[in-house]
């Protein structure tokens, strides 16, 4: 068995070489990663771990699989991240928090079938899937989670959730807010909420879950909302403040008046459940005054546009002036095939702008919108399409690691090696979609058709984007820079050069088509994304 995907194995008390090796083997055994390439660094990101690590991994692999992993392990620069992530201890010890919105409708596997034939490929991504329910839209989804191997373990759903928790921690996420759509999924021992609580506690007890009843679903059903909140109160994985109060949020909390919420909190208090309410609003400033007396803090859902990301910078200070904490949204993109509608996120610009607003604006918490809502294409969880390629939906996930580390530590991470990230669509915004009868439209913004290259460089260099017969160059400074060019048909190429020599080059992961549209005939406004370094491509 050959393993050749990137995984960071950091030294120190939080992640010993032995612990890393065991975790690596467990992930491979359950099929959570198709390949693994070992990048063994110290916790500070300098140098290799002890030489015994290689022997230890080979020995453990022999015990786990009956045959050793190939001894040709590669110790190289990470093509996914331009720096070494801080240790879990450092991230969890921060007074700040990074939550990601977990949407349980889209787990790693719906049915524990081979990925090529599972529910995602056969139903959600198919134009005729689910008995043609989404035929007018060309299908329900345009992306899916990375494929996982079929498991013989009866607890495969729990194991997959544990894998998601590990993936989140690996990119600086310290907890999930979980959108709850029914009482059963909250109170049933095998429901999504209870399984996620178990998964978080099993992987790392410091990773916390914040319950989020979805008021768009429950509307004024106070009894259901009360039961959902109460269902997590006894779990050690539920996030509680030092004074014991249970942290609770709610999607579209302003859909009900403050008195409605006060009644729920009184009922819970009578049962010994004290709540610290951080309502998530669809426009928080218009609701803050009315909700101030019953809220510990405020949160907003945000808008997935560059201006939306930039304009939030002053929100934490406004909340702090009212004596409240603030949870700022960070959105990657919003494209809803079911709509069908999209917001123009400007490639990665919305995501990077929102993160900088969080960092410079001094927000207390961040809520990534989202971890896994594939129906709105807002997930930062690594994604793919029906081809199951593992290197075409990694960019937002990996950028999150850099910015979350910056936010949680208060220090901009040192770029240790060059990494280039690309973001682009596979067709222009005005492309034909003959296989769907409903047209896709842009809202609250103007559509753009660009290829973006985001460079993380240790020193100045020349970055290039090749499209068809044209080549565009940009003098990139050391640090972070963005370079955009008009989208053109073909498979774009990207490269970095210094002193007249090419350091590395690579192709984008998906082809761009012209206004005639993609071969399937459906519209796809997804920003596909990946990265590479001198050591190769990032494939998770």
């Amino acid at each position: 068995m050959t393993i050749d995907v990137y995984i960071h194995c950091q030294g120190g008390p939080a992640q010993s070489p032995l612990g890393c090796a065991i975790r690596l083997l467990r992930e491979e055994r359950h099929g959570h990663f198709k390949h693994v390439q070992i990048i063994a660094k110290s916790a500070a990101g300098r140098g290799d771990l002890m030489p015994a690590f290689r022997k230890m991994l080979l020995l453990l692999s022999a015990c786990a699989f009956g045959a050793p992993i190939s001894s040709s392990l590669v110790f190289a620069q990470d093509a996914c991240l331009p720096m070494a992530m801080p240790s879990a201890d450092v991230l969890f010890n921060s007074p700040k928090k990074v939550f990601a919105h977990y949407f349980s409708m889209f787990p790693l596997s719906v049915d524990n079938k081979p990925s090529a034939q599972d529910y995602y490929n056969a139903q959600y991504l198919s134009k005729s899937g689910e008995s043609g329910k989404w035929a007018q839209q060309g299908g329900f989804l345009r992306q899916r989670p990375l494929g996982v191997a079929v498991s013989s373990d009866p607890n495969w759903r729990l194991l997959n959730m544990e894998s998601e928790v590990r993936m989140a921690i690996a990119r600086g996420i310290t907890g999930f807010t979980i959108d709850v759509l029914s009482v059963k999924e909250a109170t049933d021992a095998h429901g999504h909420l209870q399984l996620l609580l178990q998964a978080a506690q099993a992987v790392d007890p410091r990773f916390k879950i914040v319950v989020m009843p979805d008021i768009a679903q429950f509307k004024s059903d106070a009894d259901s909302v009360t039961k959902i909140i109460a269902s997590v109160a006894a779990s050690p994985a539920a996030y509680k403040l030092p004074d014991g109060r249970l942290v609770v949020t709610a999607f579209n909390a302003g859909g009900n008046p403050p008195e409605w919420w006060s009644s729920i909190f009184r009922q819970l208090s009578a049962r010994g459940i004290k709540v610290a309410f951080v309502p998530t609003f669809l426009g928080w400033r218009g609701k803050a005054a009315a909700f101030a007396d019953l809220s510990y803090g405020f949160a907003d859902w945000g808008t997935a546009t560059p201006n939306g990301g930039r304009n939030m910078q002053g929100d934490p200070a406004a909340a702090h002036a009212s004596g409240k904490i603030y949870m700022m949204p960070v959105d990657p993109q919003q494209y809803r095939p079911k709509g069908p509608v999209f917001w123009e996120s400007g490639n990665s610009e919305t995501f990077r702008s929102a993160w900088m607003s969080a960092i410079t604006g001094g927000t207390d918490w961040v809520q990534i919108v989202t971890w896994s809502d594939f129906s709105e294409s807002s997930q930062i969880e690594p994604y793919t399409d029906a081809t199951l390629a593992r290197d075409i939906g990694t960019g937002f996930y990996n950028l999150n690691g850099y910015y979350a580390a910056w936010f949680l530590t208060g220090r901009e991470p040192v770029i240790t090696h060059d990494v280039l990230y690309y973001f682009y669509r596979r067709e222009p915004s005005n492309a034909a979609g003959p296989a769907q009868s409903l047209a896709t439209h842009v809202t609250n913004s103007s559509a753009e058709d660009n290829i973006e290259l985001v460079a993380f460089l240790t020193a100045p260099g020349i970055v290039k984007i090749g499209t068809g017969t044209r080549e565009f160059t940009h003098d990139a400074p050391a640090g972070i820079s963005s370079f955009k060019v008009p989208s053109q048909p073909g498979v774009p190429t990207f490269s970095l050069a210094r002193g007249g020599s090419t350091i590395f080059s690579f192709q984008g992961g998906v082809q761009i088509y012209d206004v005639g549209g993609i071969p399937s005939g459906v519209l796809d406004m997804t920003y596909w994304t990946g990265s590479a370094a001198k050591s190769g491509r990032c494939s998770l």
Side-chain angles (χ1 to χ4, degrees):
M1 177 178 297
T2 300
I3 326 190
D4 61 357
V5 154
Y6 293 95
I7 244 187
H8 260 307
C9 297
Q10 294 180 325
Q15 187 65 75
S16 67
L18 177 60
C20 179
I22 292 172
R23 176 173 65 84
L24 172 64
L25 293 171
R26 183 180 183 186
E27 294 292 339
E28 174 68 12
R29 179 168 161 252
H30 289 294
H32 295 145
F33 292 102
K34 185 177 179 182
H35 304 289
V36 175
Q37 184 178 50
I38 308 303
I39 303 169
K41 293 181 179 291
S42 69
R46 298 187 300 271
D48 290 344
L49 293 173
M50 62 189 75
F53 179 86
R54 182 189 299 262
K55 295 180 180 179
M56 183 188 304
L57 187 58
L58 293 172
L59 178 61
L60 286 170
S61 69
C63 296
F65 299 109
I69 295 170
S70 167
S71 61
S72 58
L73 297 176
V74 179
F75 290 78
Q77 295 174 347
D78 190 347
C80 304
L81 290 171
M83 35 58 95
M85 283 295 295
S87 70
D89 285 345
V90 169
L91 299 177
F92 283 116
N93 285 338
S94 172
K96 296 180 178 292
K97 303 295 177 188
V98 177
F99 295 103
H101 181 87
Y102 188 93
F103 200 64
S104 57
M105 185 176 177
F106 304 111
L108 291 179
S109 176
V110 175
D111 49 15
N112 197 32
K113 291 184 178 180
S115 299
Q117 295 87 40
D118 68 2
Y119 203 87
Y120 283 110
N121 268 24
Q123 303 296 333
Y124 283 156
L125 293 176
S126 170
K127 292 176 289 188
S128 58
E130 297 195 306
S131 301
K133 182 179 179 180
W134 306 100
Q136 289 183 303
Q137 294 91 341
F140 186 39
L141 303 182
R142 297 297 186 269
Q143 327 89 32
R144 57 160 295 162
L146 300 182
V148 294
V150 174
S151 175
S152 60
D153 195 310
N155 296 313
W156 60 270
R157 293 174 62 226
L158 175 61
L159 293 174
N160 283 347
M161 281 189 175
E162 289 179 6
S163 181
E164 288 187 82
V165 171
R166 291 189 194 93
M167 291 164 63
I169 294 172
R171 292 300 181 266
I173 295 169
T174 59
F176 284 145
T177 57
I178 177 170
D179 193 296
V180 182
L181 296 169
S182 73
V183 173
K184 183 177 181 181
E185 71 177 87
T187 58
D188 190 308
H190 301 289
H192 301 301
L193 176 55
Q194 296 303 318
L195 286 180
L196 189 59
L197 290 165
Q198 292 179 50
Q201 189 67 14
V203 172
D204 194 319
R206 298 169 297 184
F207 188 91
K208 295 302 181 184
I209 306 301
V210 176
V211 66
M212 175 186 265
D214 193 321
I215 302 306
Q217 173 75 16
F218 294 107
K219 299 183 172 29
S220 59
D221 184 356
D223 183 59
S224 291
V225 171
T226 303
K227 289 177 180 176
I228 289 167
I229 295 173
S231 72
V232 306
S235 172
Y239 185 38
K240 299 179 180 70
L241 300 179
D243 63 9
R245 283 182 292 168
L246 175 70
V247 176
V248 173
T249 187
F251 177 76
N252 192 22
N256 289 310
E259 308 80 54
W260 185 87
W261 286 104
S262 294
S263 175
I264 289 175
F265 298 150
R266 284 195 298 270
Q267 294 179 53
L268 291 167
S269 181
R271 298 166 59 178
I273 303 171
K274 308 296 184 182
V275 169
F277 192 38
V278 185
T280 297
F281 296 113
L282 306 180
W284 79 278
R285 288 181 182 258
K287 299 289 184 179
F291 278 78
D293 288 344
L294 60 94
S295 299
Y296 174 70
F298 302 124
D300 197 85
W301 191 244
T303 303
T305 63
N307 282 337
R310 285 188 287 267
N311 292 342
M312 298 184 298
Q313 185 172 341
D315 287 353
H320 296 163
S322 301
K324 309 298 179 184
I325 66 105
Y326 189 70
M327 180 162 67
M328 185 179 288
V330 172
D331 301 64
Q333 60 179 328
Q334 275 278 335
Y335 162 46
R336 305 173 184 178
K338 62 184 179 182
V341 63
F342 69 98
W343 284 251
E344 182 52 69
S345 61
N347 307 77
S348 74
E349 188 176 353
T350 290
F351 191 65
R352 291 182 293 107
S353 295
W355 259 121
M356 289 311 301
S357 288
I359 291 166
T360 60
T363 194
D364 306 277
W365 302 347
V366 159
Q367 180 173 209
I368 306 297
V369 181
T370 63
W371 171 256
S372 55
D373 192 348
F374 288 81
S375 68
E376 298 188 352
S377 309
S378 60
Q379 72 284 343
I380 68 160
E381 175 189 341
Y383 53 91
T384 186
D385 59 12
T387 67
L388 301 176
R390 305 181 76 87
D391 59 354
I392 60 174
T394 61
F396 290 115
Y397 173 71
N398 289 322
L399 284 188
N400 196 79
Y402 187 89
Y403 287 102
W406 188 348
F407 173 71
L408 290 169
T409 65
R411 298 184 300 275
E412 183 175 1
V414 174
I415 297 173
T416 58
H417 58 279
D418 304 314
V419 178
L420 301 181
Y421 298 88
Y422 68 80
F423 298 83
Y424 63 87
R425 295 191 176 111
R426 63 196 342 156
E427 61 182 337
S429 56
N430 63 342
Q436 65 182 72
S437 58
L438 291 179
T440 299
H441 65 279
V442 63
T443 186
N444 292 335
S445 51
S446 298
E448 300 176 4
D449 297 308
N450 294 317
I451 301 168
E452 182 187 34
L453 184 61
V454 179
F456 285 70
L457 302 183
T458 60
I462 305 296
V463 294
K464 299 179 182 180
I465 300 177
T467 61
T469 59
R470 301 188 64 186
E471 186 174 74
F472 302 84
T473 64
H474 173 66
D475 292 326
I480 307 169
S481 62
S482 168
F483 176 38
K484 294 182 182 181
V485 303
S487 181
Q488 296 188 22
V491 179
T493 59
F494 309 99
S495 66
L496 169 66
R498 290 192 183 98
S501 299
T502 299
I503 307 300
F504 66 92
S505 63
F506 66 106
Q507 285 191 321
V510 297
Q511 180 176 341
I512 301 174
Y513 293 85
D514 61 19
V515 292
I518 60 178
S520 67
V522 305
L523 293 169
D524 180 11
M525 293 293 101
T526 305
Y527 276 115
W528 297 94
T529 170
S531 66
K534 187 176 181 180
S535 58
R537 301 173 67 92
C538 174
S539 182
L540 296 173

